[in-house]
Amino acid sequence: MTAPRKLFVNIRVDDLEKSKAFFSALDFTFNPQFTDENAACMIVSENTYFMLLTDAFFRRFTDREPADNTRTTGAMYAISCESRADVDRLTGKAFAAGATPAMPTQDHGSMYGTSFRTPEGHHFEVMWMDPATIQ
């Protein structure tokens, strides 16, 4: 069996330090080996990372105009939690750190989630799914 693939999600940010402070307030940490004045490697899990890239650095990887996250939704990033309480805890921290609600909370019994937009407009979904549902 081969090793699991790693996922690196690259998102453009206008203010790298402000974005690092926001996600640090949500208890995310950064890999200093891949963090400098152009980018920050936010650790989501053992195999999942968000690369927060300054506008100039982000543009080096594409020949298209980046989306304006304050006006459009180019992607929604879903992060799972271990419990309903963990969903509420994480989103509570996000709102306290300056996020705004994106969509109403959804409760489907075995699945629960809510969402927020970061201060820069990125849409994050925070969800819990009953492990018995996945079986």
Side-chain angles (χ1 to χ4, degrees), residues 37-51:
E37 67 279 356
N38 295 309
C41 179
M42 183 176 87
I43 301 166
V44 177
S45 71
E46 180 181 350
N47 294 308
T48 308
Y49 309 87
F50 273 78
M51 294 300 298

Side-chain angles (χ1 to χ4, degrees), residues 43-131:
I43 301 166
V44 177
S45 71
E46 180 181 350
N47 294 308
T48 308
Y49 309 87
F50 273 78
M51 294 300 298
L52 310 178
L53 308 178
T54 63
D55 182 65
F57 196 58
F58 183 91
R59 288 173 186 268
R60 291 176 51 188
F61 299 99
T62 183
D63 60 357
R64 292 185 174 187
E65 188 66 23
D68 178 352
N69 294 309
T70 63
R71 295 183 19 191
T72 61
T73 300
M76 293 179 286
Y77 312 105
I79 296 177
S80 66
C81 289
E82 293 181 8
S83 66
R84 290 169 174 262
D86 197 28
V87 169
D88 294 338
R89 181 195 61 78
L90 183 61
T91 54
K93 286 185 176 196
F95 296 138
T100 56
M103 298 296 289
T105 298
Q106 296 188 29
D107 188 346
H108 301 287
S110 62
M111 199 161 82
Y112 174 78
T114 191
S115 59
F116 63 85
R117 288 190 181 88
T118 67
E120 295 211 12
H122 295 285
H123 186 136
F124 276 78
E125 299 284 326
V126 184
M127 52 83 65
W128 166 83
M129 183 180 291
D130 184 341

